[in-house]
Amino acid sequence: MSRDLKKEIDEIRRSGRISREGLELILTAPAGDDTGYLFEAARDTSLRIFGRDIYLRGLVEFTSHCKNDCYYCGIRRSNTKADRYRLTEEEILACCDAGAGLGFSTFVLQGGDDPYYDDERMCHIISSIRARHPDCAITLSIGERSRKTYQSYYDAGANRYLLRHETANEDHYGMLHPSSMSGKDRKRCLFDLKEIGYQVGCGIMVGTPCQTRDDIYEDILFMQELGPHMIGIGPFIAHKDTPFANEDNGSVDVTLKLLAILRLIFPKVLLPATTALGTADGAGREKGILAGANVLMPNLSPPDVRGKYLLYDGKICTGEEAAECRICLQKRIESIGYHVSDDRGDHPDFRN
Ligand code: 5AD
Ligand code: FES
């Protein structure tokens, strides 16, 4: 393999930083020996901190209504073909109960940006989950809100918040979102969440239209400024009923390389091998773990709504029951020499 590349990888590992040239070298390196060394280094780092434990997050996609109109997203407001649904509090609680029965100790409530779930409703849902599952971690992924609202969710019992920044470059942000949304607001939300005391997850899609390697470098710098506890990245996958219907999908190889780079820069970060990665490549989630990821987010949504929460085409696991996904994932994880942990999987330096 190229000596420069090996030196670059060793240097990221040593310093926890990457140069623009280093990023270029890694992202343009052909698959094979070169990337093998990168993945090995990332795996090794993950093993040192987390051992062979893989944490599960039970994902409850509780609403497919969204007031936003992001160009990439299948549940965007303007997609009149999207099948919309909302889960009641009872249904959400039933998903969590079923998840707890399957050994999950973390629940992620994810949905479109849906004003129906106002502060009062949302806080009621959060505190009801907290009352029934006192020791679980409650994660929210419901978009941009005011600091006051974020505080009220936290006070009701939420611990973590996922809000991908999508792209740190403001111009690129503007190519992916209508003018009603801004990258600045998004970043402000992330800093608010962190200050309140949440474990915070940011992240990007890999290979969105017009994304350059400079953008990706800016993303890494932004992540270093934020200091997230979790980072969600997965390939962009076109959805047929969006303005990006005819755009190319993101590359699995680049996604895997970025996972590995992020593991080296943020050794302790919680890094999921995402459903989008598993959709783009049948073995994508296993490859993600072997590139340094340590989290999987199986779906706990009721089977009758799964096929309606379609952010992108071809999404996997829309026909399975929660229990089936749980068994499937366990097999996949064990086949590569790792095991499912029933721990909450907090960031090693943090517990709230
Ligand atoms: N392809 C891949 N990921 C997508 N997301 C939304 N639309 C797509 C798509 N077409 C991701 C966004 C969002 C997360 C919930 O899902 O990054 O933050
Ligand atoms: Fe729903 Fe973007 S279309 S958050």
Side-chain angles (χ1 to χ4, degrees):
M1 71 179 283
S2 111
R3 289 220 345 254
D4 282 354
L5 188 73
K6 179 170 182 297
K7 231 174 73 188
E8 207 57 65
I9 294 166
D10 291 340
E11 179 56 20
I12 303 171
R13 205 174 183 182
R14 194 194 60 75
S15 67
R17 315 186 87 76
I18 186 170
S19 65
R20 177 67 184 84
E21 300 72 43
L23 181 69
E24 189 71 23
L25 210 59
I26 293 175
L27 293 188
T28 53
D33 283 1
D34 286 359
T35 48
Y37 185 75
L38 171 70
F39 296 145
E40 210 177 286
R43 220 157 44 226
D44 204 60
T45 303
S46 176
L47 276 174
R48 194 161 45 80
I49 311 244
F50 301 102
R52 294 186 174 273
D53 284 351
I54 300 298
Y55 303 119
L56 296 185
R57 320 299 196 197
L59 189 62
V60 182
E61 299 157 333
F62 69 98
T63 171
S64 70
H65 289 262
C66 191
K67 71 175 169 57
N68 294 333
D69 221 7
C70 311
Y71 303 147
Y72 46 82
C73 184
I75 62 167
R76 66 197 299 269
R77 181 185 67 216
S78 299
N79 181 10
T80 52
K81 293 193 185 151
D83 228 331
R84 309 286 176 176
Y85 70 90
R86 289 186 176 111
L87 298 187
T88 62
E89 178 171 318
E90 290 64 39
E91 288 171 316
I92 296 172
L93 289 171
C95 292
C96 296
D97 292 351
L102 293 169
F104 294 86
S105 48
T106 307
F107 306 115
V108 182
L109 302 189
Q110 187 178 89
D113 196 333
D114 180 0
Y116 171 82
Y117 297 90
D118 57 14
D119 292 3
E120 197 187 329
R121 264 200 187 102
M122 214 50 234
C123 287
H124 199 272
I125 293 169
I126 296 164
S127 51
S128 306
I129 298 175
R130 175 58 64 224
R132 276 158 90 135
H133 304 284
D135 298 324
C136 78
I138 301 176
T139 306
L140 303 177
S141 178
I142 52 178
E144 297 175 28
R145 297 284 189 283
S146 67
R147 181 171 177 137
K148 191 163 153 273
T149 294
Y150 285 149
Q151 183 70 54
S152 67
Y153 299 159
Y154 189 83
D155 296 341
N159 316 88
R160 306 176 182 165
Y161 206 103
L162 306 180
L163 183 71
R164 291 192 181 176
H165 63 285
E166 313 297 358
T167 174
N169 180 285
E170 310 272 330
D171 294 334
H172 186 224
Y173 194 93
M175 297 175 203
L176 306 181
H177 303 92
S179 57
S180 55
M181 296 177 77
S182 93
K184 276 204 182 64
D185 289 345
R186 195 103 182 150
K187 290 176 185 165
R188 197 265 310 153
C189 287
L190 284 162
F191 286 105
D192 282 351
L193 288 161
K194 214 177 159 199
E195 277 171 30
I196 291 169
Y198 284 94
Q199 293 183 58
V200 172
C202 64
I204 61 167
M205 288 170 282
V206 176
T208 39
C210 306
Q211 183 184 57
T212 63
R213 286 199 277 272
D214 281 333
D215 294 332
I216 295 178
Y217 192 63
E218 228 176 296
D219 287 320
I220 294 175
L221 296 181
F222 169 71
M223 290 176 196
Q224 285 177 312
E225 184 192 340
L226 175 68
H229 305 93
M230 306 169 274
I231 303 176
I233 67 165
F236 161 74
I237 302 173
H239 185 292
K240 62 182 183 352
D241 303 313
T242 64
F244 289 165
N246 298 318
E247 301 288 341
D248 289 339
N249 289 346
S251 147
V252 169
D253 285 340
V254 174
T255 306
L256 294 172
K257 285 175 178 177
L258 281 173
L259 280 171
I261 291 170
L262 292 171
R263 170 58 69 214
L264 295 180
I265 298 179
F266 303 95
K268 295 180 178 173
V269 85
L270 292 149
L271 199 58
T274 57
T275 304
L277 186 57
T279 297
D281 179 330
R285 288 170 296 177
E286 292 90 321
K287 290 179 185 172
I289 290 169
L290 296 174
N294 68 330
V295 171
L296 289 170
M297 301 177 63
N299 201 321
L300 285 181
S301 310
D304 59 313
V305 303
R306 282 185 188 209
K308 301 180 187 172
Y309 195 83
L310 298 178
L311 308 186
Y312 46 82
D313 287 341
K315 186 174 172 214
I316 53 171
C317 308
T318 51
E320 279 76 12
E321 301 262 353
E324 292 175 286
C325 287
R326 175 71 178 71
I327 294 166
C328 162
L329 283 179
Q330 178 146 358
K331 277 199 205 138
R332 286 171 183 262
I333 292 170
E334 287 173 0
S335 78
I336 52 170
Y338 287 72
H339 50 77
V340 173
S341 165
D342 55 13
D343 196 84
R344 272 170 49 134
D346 288 281
H347 187 280
D349 298 336
F350 199 98
R351 165 134 195 180
N352 54 6

